[in-house]
Amino acid sequence: MTFSIVARSDDGESWGVAVASKFLAVGSAVPAAAAGVGAIATQADANLAFKYLGLAHLDDGATAQVALDRLVEEDDGREHRQVGVVDSDGNAATWTGAECFAWAGGTTGRSGERGGYAIQGNILTGPEVVQAMERAWIAGERTSLERRLLATLAAGDEAGGDSRGRQSAALLVVRDGAGYGGHDDVAVDLRVDDHTAPVTELARLVDLNELYLTASTPEEQVPVDDALMIELESLAKAEGKDSFHMWVGSENYEMRVGPGARPAWIDRRILGIIRGQQDGEDHA
């Protein structure tokens, strides 16, 4: 009752899972990932213990196929399970038990020297869902892992997806030091639990995640000189804040403005926002 992709990025730095289903809060059940270890999706008549057992096998050095083999060999309900695994080196494996409801199946492949993917689904409209997802994955080689996974999920949704309809979707991406403030590995952890168009809503949340929870790249950073600092303080006070530093904190833009009350830089998009240009297309 779910379709998903589990993958490692072509640069070898990120692992993730994207999933959608006619099932409440699919993101609470299916995905698991750890940076430097791998990622797993457990679905159909899901055995949720597979997430933690599978990551433990991978962390102990098992390849994706060995980890998957261990999971299904030890489970009496294996024929009702569906699982996708990618390991630390980008090797991928998928399993579809014989008792999974039709249409059910999956595929695996490599993308570049370091990337790899497993795509799988059950109770789908047909094999075209998995095929469309694989084409989208291959076509997205120049995009970030989160955007690539999202595009792959959207392709499966557009191709028919879950034959029962739509309800929820989720995206999980891990990368060393990618979390809020750099203190954990969670780059993206977004869930749409109950929605008529969950994949579309997930795309909206990915945009917000990028704005609020993703650090600016050097190319996005505008140096703050004395004149710009005076302007920023004035604009913040016009918004009812005592200082620009307070405005940044109240708007949750800490990941996109340099630290301290006198930041060395400001993200180009945030500069556009405080100047009243909501699309952020400001060029200082």
Side-chain angles (χ1 to χ4, degrees), residues 40 74 104 126 145 153 168 198-199 226 231 262 272 279:
I40 295 176
E74 297 166 0
L145 182 60
L153 194 68
S168 64
V199 177
D226 291 343
E231 179 189 358
R262 175 56 167 88
D279 59 5

Side-chain angles (χ1 to χ4, degrees), residues 74-163:
E74 297 166 0
D75 182 16
D76 291 340
R78 67 181 71 88
E79 298 304 337
H80 298 273
R81 316 295 190 207
Q82 190 171 56
V83 190
V85 183
V86 65
D87 63 28
S88 61
D89 293 324
N91 304 302
T94 189
W95 163 269
T96 299
E99 299 300 321
C100 290
F101 295 145
W103 188 88
T107 189
T108 64
R110 299 289 305 203
S111 51
E113 294 183 2
R114 307 181 72 184
Y117 61 90
I119 300 170
Q120 47 280 314
N122 62 94
I123 318 186
L124 304 183
T125 56
E128 66 275 2
V129 177
V130 169
Q131 293 164 0
M133 292 175 72
E134 185 170 35
R135 288 194 299 269
W137 172 260
I138 293 169
E141 61 181 356
R142 297 187 182 278
T143 58
S144 66
L145 182 60
E146 44 264 49
R147 295 286 179 181
R148 195 175 184 183
L149 290 171
L150 178 63
T152 300
L153 194 68
D157 190 49
E158 292 168 5
D162 191 321
S163 62

Side-chain angles (χ1 to χ4, degrees), residues 18-221:
V19 58
S21 181
K22 180 63 171 69
F23 183 86
L24 180 67
V26 70
S28 68
V30 170
V37 176
I40 295 176
T42 177
Q43 54 200 54
D45 185 4
N47 182 339
L48 301 192
F50 277 7
K51 295 190 291 185
Y52 314 107
L53 292 172
L55 289 176
H57 290 319
L58 295 175
D59 196 33
D60 285 341
T63 65
Q65 189 63 61
V66 169
L68 180 58
D69 289 345
R70 290 176 181 172
L71 291 175
V72 298
E73 286 171 0
E74 297 166 0
D75 182 16
D76 291 340
R78 67 181 71 88
E79 298 304 337
H80 298 273
R81 316 295 190 207
Q82 190 171 56
V83 190
V85 183
V86 65
D87 63 28
S88 61
D89 293 324
N91 304 302
T94 189
W95 163 269
T96 299
E99 299 300 321
C100 290
F101 295 145
W103 188 88
T107 189
T108 64
R110 299 289 305 203
S111 51
E113 294 183 2
R114 307 181 72 184
Y117 61 90
I119 300 170
Q120 47 280 314
N122 62 94
I123 318 186
L124 304 183
T125 56
E128 66 275 2
V129 177
V130 169
Q131 293 164 0
M133 292 175 72
E134 185 170 35
R135 288 194 299 269
W137 172 260
I138 293 169
E141 61 181 356
R142 297 187 182 278
T143 58
S144 66
L145 182 60
E146 44 264 49
R147 295 286 179 181
R148 195 175 184 183
L149 290 171
L150 178 63
T152 300
L153 194 68
D157 190 49
E158 292 168 5
D162 191 321
S163 62
R164 301 166 305 155
R166 301 173 173 89
Q167 187 169 8
S168 64
L171 177 64
L172 174 64
V173 175
V174 296
R175 184 167 53 249
D176 280 338
Y180 183 79
H183 299 300
D184 67 16
D185 68 351
V186 181
V188 181
D189 186 3
L190 298 172
R191 301 175 182 181
V192 178
D193 288 343
D194 186 25
H195 198 280
T196 56
V199 177
T200 301
E201 176 64 6
L202 186 62
R204 186 184 73 85
L205 296 181
V206 169
D207 288 340
L208 292 178
N209 186 88
E210 181 179 297
L211 178 63
Y212 290 106
L213 299 176
T214 303
S216 300
T217 65
E219 294 75 21
E220 295 172 316
Q221 296 172 3

